[in-house]
Amino acid sequence: MKNVLIITYYWPPAGGPGVQRVLKFAKLLPKFGWRPVILTVEDGDYPARDESLIAKIPDNCPVYSSSILEPYSLYRRLTGKKKDEKLPTFVLNENRSAGFKNKLATWVRANVFIPDARVGWIPSGVKAGKRAIAKEKIDLIFASSPPHTVQLIAKRLARKTGIPWVADFRDPWTEAFWSANLKKNPLSDKLDKRLERGVLSAADAVITVSDGVKEMLAGKAENLYKVIQNGFEPIELSKDKLKDFRILFIGSLSNYQNPESLFKAVETLPENIQKKIAIQFVGRVFSGFDPLFEQYNHLNIERLPYMPHRELMQFAQQAALLFRPVAQSSYADKNVGAKTYDYLALRKPILTLGVKPSVSEKMLRETGSGELFLYEDVTGISGFVKSCFNKWKEDGTTLLNNQEQLKFYSTEFQVEQLTGLFNEILNEKN
């Protein structure tokens, strides 16, 4: 059994989509001859916590953690937020109409904390990583970001030890949608881009979640680039008939994912259909959308708090239609959100808003999992909702028969490809 050091900021009890990829990979790595060893932070400032995920940590998986100096407690004090208030990862550009203190915090984030607000982890992270490498006889380093600080830790460890390193990007670096509006000065912007190129050129291989993001990264530095998707874990699905017609969104709804097109579409349906449709949002919703939700309060819209993942997937089986607005950004055509894979596991139609052509559109077509519409296509959205509603009225369910199309998107298939890359790199080194 070979040993891989996985460097990740997000690890149980962290909740949310950031932890799912590495946790699922760690669970399946031993099946393909690799033992995971985790390097993470002590008591991270996570946007959500999910204690139930601790039970998913595989046996014989050592966890090394180290302290981190983070700016978010200062940010809370500066902006008057509560000490225990959970902050979304995109908090520092959440509200463009924010006051002076928020704008100051945004400027500091953009120009002082480079590449990100977790940069204070580097000293202790490198120290703990060296300890783990010596004790666990590590064969390869795997760093999953964002935060991209983890790649800087991996780069130092690889340089000091000579151990090969695979850099994993769940999202882009300098083009990430949450940093698009950060006002960086020319010097900060130059430094951030230099750090990015340094990582892309120094790693032994770079992997990411889609062909589109791979192309973005590959254009910046020569290297071996591969796509390893997040993947989904099959779950036992209920075949009971649905009592009502629910449209469900799960995750964090950012200010780049305006749901108004869905509201408008439902509003155009006949009143007898409207009354039978419930729209639910589970998780954090951008506070700037509060007036929008109030505007459409005549529809049956419900907002529910964050749920532990196991509870969430059980709850989501009662949905008839899954709603997935792709974050509007310069790379919306190139990326697939992590929550999309949970949607695939549920095998219900997915109503996606985004751009065409795109990797999300291609995935939906290949898996027979739903359709993608432009944000402004209210007529198309309305027609799709109505067709799913009619299927529910006729069959009592909207469960899809698409297991065969989904098999190449499973986590197990993705981890098999990943360990194949690990073995290839080790063979080249030897």
Side-chain angles (χ1 to χ4, degrees), residues 30-333:
K31 182 173 182 177
F32 298 97
W34 285 83
R35 171 177 169 259
V37 177
I38 308 300
L39 173 61
T40 190
V41 296
E42 289 176 358
D43 195 25
D45 202 328
Y46 309 127
R49 292 176 71 90
D50 187 345
E51 302 288 342
S52 71
L53 294 180
I54 294 173
K56 291 191 174 185
I57 298 174
D59 296 334
N60 193 23
C61 176
V63 177
Y64 290 76
S65 59
S66 64
S67 60
I68 178 173
L69 180 64
E70 299 200 64
Y72 287 101
S73 57
L74 177 61
Y75 171 77
R76 289 184 181 89
R77 238 180 278 127
L78 184 66
T79 57
K81 294 184 182 295
K82 295 178 181 177
K83 185 178 180 181
D84 59 348
E85 185 174 346
K86 297 300 179 186
L87 302 175
T89 52
F90 45 82
V91 66
L92 294 184
N93 64 346
E94 186 176 9
N95 196 335
R96 294 178 188 175
S97 61
F100 170 75
K101 290 181 178 180
N102 278 289
K103 290 178 179 178
L104 175 62
T106 301
W107 186 91
V108 171
R109 158 63 187 93
N111 296 286
V112 177
F113 296 99
I114 300 171
D116 48 59
R118 319 299 186 182
V119 69
W121 186 26
I122 291 177
S124 71
V126 171
K127 185 177 179 181
K130 289 168 69 177
R131 188 169 70 251
I133 287 169
K135 187 173 181 180
E136 306 295 341
K137 298 180 180 177
I138 297 298
D139 296 285
L140 184 139
I141 298 167
F142 176 80
S144 184
S145 64
H148 302 300
T149 287
V150 304
Q151 305 298 352
L152 303 184
I153 294 173
K155 184 180 179 183
R156 293 193 188 187
L157 290 173
R159 187 174 65 236
K160 290 175 181 290
T161 63
I163 295 172
W165 151 47
V166 174
D168 173 41
F169 289 84
R170 303 188 308 276
D171 289 288
W173 186 320
T174 52
E175 295 93 346
F177 72 85
W178 57 84
S179 67
N181 296 318
L182 291 176
K183 294 180 180 178
K184 297 178 185 174
N185 63 48
L187 184 61
S188 299
D189 188 53
K190 184 177 180 180
L191 174 58
D192 200 24
K193 289 177 178 176
R194 191 175 82 180
L195 290 173
E196 179 186 33
R197 286 193 302 272
V199 164
L200 293 175
S201 59
D204 290 87
V206 177
I207 68 171
T208 189
V209 294
S210 72
D211 286 318
V213 178
K214 184 184 82 169
E215 290 169 9
M216 289 172 63
L217 298 174
K220 300 179 181 187
E222 287 190 15
N223 208 322
L224 172 63
Y225 292 86
K226 297 275 189 181
V227 173
I228 303 292
Q229 299 187 52
N230 288 304
F232 73 93
E233 293 180 300
I235 57 177
E236 188 173 341
L237 296 170
S238 169
K239 295 182 181 178
D240 295 340
K241 291 190 176 183
L242 302 173
K243 296 178 182 178
D244 49 23
F245 188 89
R246 300 186 201 176
I247 302 174
L248 178 67
F249 171 90
I250 57 178
S252 292
L253 191 75
S254 75
N255 51 324
Y256 303 94
Q257 297 168 284
N258 194 321
E260 186 171 14
S261 299
L262 173 63
F263 300 163
K264 286 182 176 179
V266 172
E267 201 174 39
T268 66
L269 294 171
E271 190 173 344
N272 65 315
I273 294 180
Q274 275 188 51
K275 289 180 177 178
K276 294 179 180 177
I277 293 177
I279 306 173
Q280 295 179 318
F281 293 81
V282 179
R284 187 181 297 275
V285 173
F286 168 55
S287 60
F289 287 147
D290 289 349
L292 179 67
F293 279 77
E294 182 63 30
Q295 180 185 339
Y296 288 92
N297 65 3
H298 55 282
L299 299 178
N300 186 11
I301 301 174
E302 185 179 13
R303 292 163 63 173
L304 301 170
Y306 176 87
M307 293 182 188
H309 189 259
R310 184 185 303 168
E311 179 185 339
L312 175 64
M313 295 302 282
Q314 191 67 35
F315 176 83
Q317 292 191 48
Q318 303 306 310
L321 179 60
L322 303 171
F323 178 50
R324 185 64 184 164
V326 176
Q328 295 176 290
S329 68
S330 61
Y331 61 96
D333 61 323

